[in-house]
Amino acid sequence: MSKKKALTVRVLLSEQEIANRVAKLGQEITEKYADLGEPLILIGILKGSVIFLSDLCRAISLPVELEFMGVSSYGDETESSGVVQITQDLTRPIKGRHIILVEDIVDTGLTAKYLLKHFRSSEPASVAMCALLEKPGKSQGHILIDFLGFSIPDDFVVGYGLDFAGLYRNLPHVGIVETAD
Ligand code: 5GP
């Protein structure tokens, strides 16, 4: 048997709580963009936002297009490096389009700040930000989150797309990783 301490995940947000909130976010987005007259572009940040984005887009009753962006800022560490590198770019132009950046979690806000600036340089018609989670105490510089799921304490969380060393993304809930004795 390995002497490594086992990790347990304490539930912070249940599957049902997340489903209810995502449904509300979908309604909010539907209402805000009801008169758009053209498809909205949802841009998910790989890989953490994939589960959230796939539920969110089905809660929006409007035509949407999906785009993905790969960024690397964390590696397997649990603290933000502050360095954001684009590892996969968009597949179509966003100039003149209405876009929503969809993030799993805003921690220091460095990733979102970098991406919003990057997107704005392509002159979209409008840019909005949607995040499932935010750790309010940590934000470096003001990031306006137009559509927010939950504010959470400053703990490292996993599940519903969020990983620890590549694992736990498939948990249906969001939880805090703890070491069991
Ligand atoms: P920020 O640039 O806002 O500090 O970090 C944003 C990115 O860091 C998120 O998209 C996510 O990949 C990662 N991150 C920040 N906090 C957590 C956390 O509690 N759990 C996990 N799994 N990733 C996090």
Side-chain angles (χ1 to χ4, degrees):
M1 285 285 278
S2 158
K3 292 235 165 87
K4 263 187 171 175
K5 283 189 173 178
L7 294 181
T8 56
V9 178
R10 177 165 56 86
V11 177
L12 179 67
L13 300 167
S14 70
E15 187 174 1
Q16 192 56 57
E17 280 176 282
I18 297 170
N20 293 345
R21 191 69 196 110
V22 171
K24 286 261 162 46
L25 287 175
Q27 277 171 17
E28 283 175 37
I29 292 173
T30 303
E31 281 163 23
K32 170 134 189 223
Y33 293 92
D35 299 327
L36 212 54
E38 62 179 88
L40 186 58
I41 304 182
L42 304 178
I43 304 177
I45 306 307
L46 296 170
K47 303 172 187 166
S49 74
V50 165
I51 312 274
F52 174 43
L53 179 62
S54 54
D55 283 343
L56 179 70
C57 72
R58 287 175 290 173
I60 298 173
S61 311
L62 295 170
V64 298
E65 291 173 26
L66 302 184
E67 279 290 318
F68 294 94
M69 186 106 175
V71 301
S72 132
S73 61
Y74 250 69
D76 283 349
E77 302 298 326
T78 58
E79 286 297 318
S80 180
S81 65
V83 179
V84 179
Q85 191 194 348
I86 294 178
T87 56
Q88 186 179 315
D89 214 339
L90 304 176
T91 62
R92 64 185 73 190
I94 56 169
K95 186 172 173 144
R97 302 293 303 273
H98 296 268
I99 66 168
I100 303 182
L101 168 61
V102 180
E103 269 271 36
D104 49 0
I105 183 165
V106 173
D107 184 6
T108 63
L110 291 171
T111 309
K113 203 169 171 184
Y114 176 88
L115 289 172
L116 290 169
K117 192 171 168 208
H118 176 80
F119 292 140
R120 285 199 176 102
S121 70
S122 299
E123 301 175 3
S126 73
V127 182
M129 166 90 197
C130 175
L132 177 70
L133 307 170
E134 177 202 32
K135 293 178 190 170
K138 292 284 287 295
S139 182
Q140 290 182 15
H142 188 62
I143 290 287
L144 179 68
I145 303 176
D146 305 271
F147 307 100
L148 174 65
F150 303 90
S151 286
I152 60 164
D154 184 17
D155 290 305
F156 190 80
V157 292
V158 296
Y160 199 66
L162 290 143
D163 76 310
F164 176 62
L167 297 174
Y168 301 105
R169 291 192 198 276
N170 59 327
L171 290 179
H173 52 265
V174 168
I176 298 171
V177 181
E178 296 175 334
T179 41
D181 293 320

